[in-house]
Amino acid sequence: MDLALFAFNKAQACGLVWCKLSAAEPGVTHIYQMWVAPAARGLGAGNALLAQALAWAKSRGSHLVRLGVTHADSPAMRLYRAHGFRPVGDMEPLREGSELMAQGMELVWSEPVAG
């Protein structure tokens, strides 16, 4: 199951988040895409989008949310940390040939209950 959310500034879309429940790992949600238009940054759109995505994941029984972010001292990294995400694993190139590095992050609410 996927969820796409959009933020609007008046009638103009200014941000989005796309998340998906993992079919292979029950209780895990992946955030695949999050973006806020440069002109709308600092207005709270990213915080609102992430909060709604996390609320949706939790309402669907997720205990863990994963995402990847460009490794930098950036507003995105600070936003994820403020919501409780922590770095996991080794950094990897953002894409082939890129000097930018991506960092995996996870937010864990609780451990899954054994069936």
Side-chain angles (χ1 to χ4, degrees), residues 34 36 45-48 50 74-85:
M34 185 152 164
V36 175
N47 189 57
L50 185 57
S74 65
M77 185 71 83
R78 289 190 293 276
L79 174 67
Y80 298 137
R81 287 183 182 274
H83 279 267
F85 283 86

Side-chain angles (χ1 to χ4, degrees), residues 89-112:
D90 296 329
M91 289 188 289
E92 299 178 358
L94 185 62
R95 62 184 65 82
E96 189 175 329
S98 176
E99 293 183 19
L100 297 174
M101 299 298 284
Q103 174 67 62
M105 298 187 85
E106 291 183 347
L107 171 63
V108 178
W109 286 302
S110 64
E111 293 301 317

Side-chain angles (χ1 to χ4, degrees), residues 3-62:
L3 175 71
L5 297 169
F6 296 88
F8 289 86
N9 187 0
K10 299 183 182 169
Q12 183 72 31
C14 65
L16 67 92
V17 62
W18 171 45
C19 45
K20 182 175 182 140
L21 299 176
S22 174
E25 299 174 279
V28 176
T29 296
H30 295 272
I31 294 179
Y32 287 109
Q33 193 172 43
M34 185 152 164
W35 174 81
V36 175
R41 293 178 186 162
L43 301 177
N47 189 57
L49 285 166
L50 185 57
Q52 287 298 308
L54 295 176
W56 175 81
K58 195 175 247 190
S59 76
R60 298 300 186 271
S62 288

